[in-house]
Amino acid sequence: MIDRVRKYVKAFSITTAAVLFMTPFSAIAQTNSASASSGNDRWLHVRVVSSDNKGETVRVNVPLELAEKVLPAINKDRLHNGKITIDRSEVQGVDCRALLEAIKTTKDGEFVTVQSHDSDVQVAKQNGYMLVHVTEKRWNEEKNSKEAKMTEKSRVEVKVPMKVVEALFSGGKDELDVVAALHALSAHSGDTELVSVKDGNDTVRVWLDSKNSSD
Amino acid sequence: MMILAKIALGAVGTMAVATVYTFREGTIRVDVDEHREGGSHVHFWVPAAAVPAALHFVPDDKLQEAVDRSRDALPIVQIVAEELEKYPNVEFVTVDGEDEHVKVSVKDAKIYVDVQDHNDEVHVAVPVATIKDIVESVANRRQAQ
């Protein structure tokens, strides 16, 4: 009788041991397959570093594929089906589409340079990228001098592949197709620094690469 | 004696299978600590697989109320949950300040939200599969109604 109990216990122990032994392997297999599926993903990273007394750092890492799938599901305010409706009054009569068409067909170089008392703006096309540089100025009057000295208040640098800009304007007349732009961005190979902002104590960086962490 | 042994073996076996089944999706864990006088401390964990099952017992009118309130968010949560399964170990958002830390991450297919400031601490961990199950369950109930 004891032998039969022992047999039952033995069979149960072997089955339990087998299940427990196999569980980590199945978990590892799941993890590996999941990791493999995200291996070729493009990631959008945002880092905001504030060097004031609170010294905050914000890091955001978003897979483009996730953003591409989530955006069409958000329908709020001006964002519908992954497209943002432009308010005509905001563009002040500028025909962005005609402007883009003109930029597309023009050779590389500087298109617009606006230098004013408060800021400098440069827009250029270079090696398939659209570059926008904006520098805000600050004028400090020195005590013993009548001449004011200019220092940089903030600097914004934007570098976006032309294909992304084209995709952004590929929707309807008064809308920006954000999903199409993200799709074009994910098809863009190589690491790209998209936006860089230096404003006083704050630094903002937005870039694209294939890593899932910003470090 | 033999009968007792068989009953014991059956009970242990059933318990083992039930435990494995109940915890197959892991656990949902919530920890809230308010480090101040009179502050509350909440710590609980529940088997994740129990939550979608428990949803079946929620009265229709209450569920409808919840669905109405989260109508816009449900499709987004569903897509995010489906997509998150592809990213088992990622830190999506981190905020590090002098006295506050926030982290939203996915580790071993579980979403972690950790918030810590000088007085309070909140830690929430939910398996991604559970979120997916809950959303699907709610969507199915909505269709059935």
Side-chain angles (χ1 to χ4, degrees):
Chain A
M1 189 173 70
I2 290 170
D3 279 350
R4 286 178 68 184
V5 173
R6 200 177 283 163
K7 216 185 329 179
Y8 279 125
V9 172
K10 197 177 166 188
F12 178 71
S13 306
I14 291 168
T15 315
T16 312
V19 169
L20 290 174
F21 181 70
M22 293 305 287
T23 307
F25 288 109
S26 63
I28 289 166
Q30 267 185 349
T31 309
N32 284 348
S33 66
S35 298
S37 71
S38 58
N40 298 322
D41 283 330
R42 306 290 287 151
W43 288 75
L44 192 68
H45 305 279
V46 181
R47 185 189 288 179
V48 183
V49 180
S50 176
S51 52
D52 60 7
N53 48 4
K54 277 195 170 181
E56 272 187 349
T57 304
V58 179
R59 293 185 189 89
V60 180
N61 308 305
V62 187
L64 280 179
E65 197 189 338
L66 174 73
E68 263 181 75
K69 288 193 175 156
V70 170
L71 266 177
I74 302 172
N75 292 302
K76 192 145 178 75
D77 300 329
R78 288 193 211 168
L79 180 63
H80 287 273
N81 300 319
K83 292 171 184 170
I84 296 173
T85 311
I86 310 167
D87 189 345
R88 279 182 159 255
S89 63
E90 281 178 0
V91 289
Q92 294 170 337
V94 177
D95 190 343
C96 297
R97 225 162 282 272
L99 203 64
L100 178 69
E101 203 54 43
I103 294 170
K104 253 168 68 180
T105 49
T106 322
K107 285 179 187 172
D108 280 9
E110 214 164 272
F111 300 118
V112 184
T113 303
V114 180
Q115 287 185 310
S116 69
H117 183 262
D118 299 323
S119 61
D120 292 347
V121 180
Q122 289 173 301
V123 181
K125 186 175 112 177
Q126 210 169 54
N127 301 325
Y129 287 91
M130 187 169 175
L131 311 173
V132 181
H133 291 190
V134 181
T135 310
E136 265 194 296
K137 302 171 193 169
R138 183 192 289 124
W139 294 94
N140 305 313
E141 279 188 32
E142 288 181 9
K143 278 182 182 176
N144 302 327
S145 167
K146 283 184 181 178
E147 281 183 25
K149 200 178 176 185
M150 193 277 283
T151 53
E152 203 174 271
K153 189 180 170 193
S154 70
R155 173 189 279 264
V156 179
E157 290 177 7
V158 182
K159 183 182 176 186
V160 188
M162 278 304 293
K163 285 196 173 167
V164 176
V165 182
E166 286 168 29
L168 192 65
F169 287 95
S170 64
K173 201 179 176 189
D174 293 326
E175 55 188 22
L176 297 174
D177 195 336
V178 184
V179 172
L182 286 175
H183 190 69
L185 205 55
S186 60
H188 183 76
S189 58
D191 300 352
T192 310
E193 175 116 5
L194 298 167
V195 181
S196 152
V197 181
K198 175 88 183 93
D199 185 2
N201 291 323
D202 303 326
T203 313
V204 181
R205 264 186 78 206
V206 181
W207 75 100
L208 183 77
D209 64 23
S210 302
K211 295 176 203 158
N212 67 1
S213 70
S214 55
D215 295 320
Chain B
M1 184 67 181
M2 182 63 192
I3 292 286
L4 279 177
K6 276 185 179 176
I7 291 170
L9 194 61
V12 170
T14 310
M15 270 175 67
V17 170
T19 308
V20 169
Y21 184 76
T22 309
F23 288 91
R24 71 190 188 281
E25 283 185 10
T27 54
I28 294 174
R29 195 170 168 168
V30 179
D31 295 304
V32 180
D33 286 300
E34 293 175 335
H35 300 294
R36 55 175 175 258
E37 208 176 319
S40 56
H41 298 271
V42 180
H43 300 271
F44 74 86
W45 59 265
V46 286
V51 178
L55 265 181
H56 293 286
F57 301 103
V58 177
D60 285 343
D61 57 325
K62 297 286 175 200
L63 190 76
Q64 189 57 45
E65 204 180 304
V67 167
D68 287 343
R69 264 188 283 164
S70 56
R71 193 176 296 277
D72 293 339
L74 271 178
I76 300 166
V77 177
Q78 192 164 12
I79 293 168
V80 171
E82 276 169 17
E83 288 299 305
L84 283 185
E85 287 188 329
K86 297 178 189 169
Y87 309 100
N89 293 298
V90 177
E91 282 183 9
F92 285 103
V93 181
T94 53
V95 180
D96 289 313
E98 194 182 30
D99 59 357
E100 63 175 8
H101 302 276
V102 179
K103 189 159 86 176
V104 180
S105 58
V106 173
K107 196 178 172 191
D108 299 328
K110 236 179 186 185
I111 294 181
Y112 289 84
V113 179
D114 302 295
V115 183
Q116 192 183 344
D117 71 7
H118 61 286
N119 271 337
D120 309 316
E121 244 179 88
V122 178
H123 302 282
V124 179
V126 186
V128 174
T130 306
I131 298 172
K132 207 174 142 190
D133 287 350
I134 292 169
V135 176
E136 274 172 12
S137 175
V138 170
N140 291 342
R141 281 279 292 271
R142 195 169 51 174
Q143 279 171 359
Q145 279 171 15

